[in-house]
């Protein structure tokens, strides 16, 4: 009787084991997760993620960028430069899916490895560019002559236009700074042309302010046009 019961137990676990093991193999694996960190640290963690995927050639990558609705701008910027850095590093971009999602707190970036035939993490994708109207005006981005020396380049004006389109009651203030007001005016006009002609933002929603760059002695003397978003 005892041998019979032991046989039944062994048979039961033998029958269940392949099914449970198969389910585990199909679950996404959280490789890395971090909040708001310096750009060079973010790039280093991306490199480690690429290495993990390289060592698992049958797997794919899934990157979720979670942020609060009022911080959508930060998530969009990151979702824009990750593919550029991926191509720069020579990694196959088709193996990675990047999505934005919402949370109630600060930025949270998660790197997942999905085994062959596996399932993606259950996240609600957010593709919106809307911002709460109760927000205060803020510096959205800029156009300058040097760019960020570490982070992959992002077209601030292009993304700025997406948010203006998604928030039709919002306005744009362009603060152009240069050594001469003539240069500042020329640079501001260049941004206006991009917004109006290329991205179809009504000129009536854009205001221009010209400033001497020397008014801020702590900053670079190179020209810059600040893009201010007014919800």
């Amino acid at each position: 009787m005892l041998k019979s019961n032991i046989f039944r137990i062994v048979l039961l676990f033998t029958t269940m084991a392949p099914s449970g093991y198969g389910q585990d193999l199909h679950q996404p694996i959280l490789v890395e997760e971090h909040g708001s960190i310096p750009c060079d640290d973010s790039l280093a963690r991306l490199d480690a993620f690429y290495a993990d995927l390289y060592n698992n050639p049958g797997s794919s990558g899934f990157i979720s960028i979670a942020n609060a609705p009022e911080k959508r701008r930060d998530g969009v910027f990151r979702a824009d430069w990750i593919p550029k850095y991926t191509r720069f590093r020579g990694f196959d971009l088709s193996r990675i899916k990047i999505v934005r999602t919402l949370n109630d707190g600060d930025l949270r970036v998660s790197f997942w490895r999905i085994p062959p035939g596996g399932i993606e993490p259950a996240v609600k994708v957010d593709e919106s560019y809307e911002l709460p109207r109760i927000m205060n005006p803020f510096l959205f981005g800029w156009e300058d002559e040097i760019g960020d020396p570490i982070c992959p380049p992002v077209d601030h004006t292009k993304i700025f236009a997406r948010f203006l389109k998604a928030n039709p009651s919002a306005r744009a203030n362009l603060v152009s700074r240069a050594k001469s007001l003539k240069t500042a005016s020329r640079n501001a006009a260049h941004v206006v042309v991009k917004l109006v002609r290329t991205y179809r933002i009504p000129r009536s929603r854009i205001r221009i302010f010209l400033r001497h760059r020397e008014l801020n002695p702590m900053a670079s003397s190179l020209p810059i046009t600040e893009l201010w978003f007014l919800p």
Side-chain angles (χ1 to χ4, degrees):
M1 183 67 175
L2 179 61
K3 289 184 179 180
S4 177
N5 288 336
I6 293 176
F7 175 78
R8 289 194 183 97
I9 294 173
V10 172
L11 180 61
L12 175 63
F13 276 97
T14 303
T15 304
M16 292 176 61
S19 175
Y21 186 64
Q23 287 180 345
D24 290 339
L25 283 179
H26 287 79
Q27 295 300 315
I29 301 167
L30 182 61
V31 177
E32 160 72 20
E33 191 172 51
H34 62 81
S36 181
I37 57 178
C39 200
D40 53 351
D41 194 356
S42 295
L43 300 182
R45 297 183 190 220
L46 271 172
D47 283 335
F49 184 50
Y50 301 148
D52 182 85
L53 292 176
Y54 180 82
N55 292 328
N56 295 273
S59 299
S60 60
F62 185 95
I63 301 176
S64 66
I65 304 169
N67 226 340
E70 62 270 19
K71 297 181 180 179
R72 277 192 170 106
R73 175 260 190 206
D74 299 338
V76 171
F77 271 45
R78 189 172 294 266
D80 192 75
W81 65 248
I82 287 178
K84 296 179 180 179
Y85 184 71
T86 305
R87 296 188 190 95
F88 171 76
R89 296 300 285 172
F91 193 81
D92 184 3
L93 186 58
S94 66
R95 292 183 61 192
I96 300 177
K97 182 176 180 178
I98 305 168
V99 301
R100 289 189 290 125
T101 185
L102 296 177
N103 64 13
D104 296 326
D106 296 326
L107 175 72
R108 204 73 198 161
V109 183
S110 305
F111 299 155
W112 298 83
R113 170 163 42 89
I114 303 176
I119 59 175
E120 295 180 352
V123 300
K124 185 176 180 180
V125 177
D126 172 47
E127 297 181 343
S128 174
Y129 293 91
E130 294 183 11
L131 294 176
R133 296 184 64 177
I134 60 174
M135 292 177 60
N136 293 322
F138 66 96
L139 178 60
F140 187 94
W142 53 84
E143 281 214 358
D144 59 26
E145 294 186 352
I146 52 176
D148 192 308
I150 300 177
C151 287
V154 174
D155 190 336
H156 290 206
T157 304
K158 181 178 180 180
I159 298 175
F160 188 50
R162 293 181 196 168
F163 277 85
L164 288 173
K165 286 184 176 181
N167 299 270
S169 63
R171 292 168 290 128
N173 280 0
L174 307 183
V175 181
S176 187
R177 306 178 188 275
K179 289 185 176 181
S180 71
L181 293 182
K182 182 178 180 180
T183 301
S185 178
R186 183 174 63 247
N187 292 343
H190 170 72
V191 178
V192 170
V193 168
K194 288 179 66 176
L195 289 173
V196 175
R197 296 185 182 178
T198 304
Y199 303 121
R200 304 301 180 185
I201 303 299
R203 179 63 180 84
S204 59
R205 296 174 62 189
I206 305 170
R207 296 180 65 190
I208 296 175
F209 300 87
L210 306 180
R211 298 289 187 270
H212 285 291
R213 188 63 165 166
E214 288 81 0
L215 291 178
N216 185 357
M218 300 299 293
S220 167
S221 61
L222 291 174
I224 183 173
T225 300
E226 299 171 356
L227 310 175
W228 286 83
F229 189 93
L230 283 67

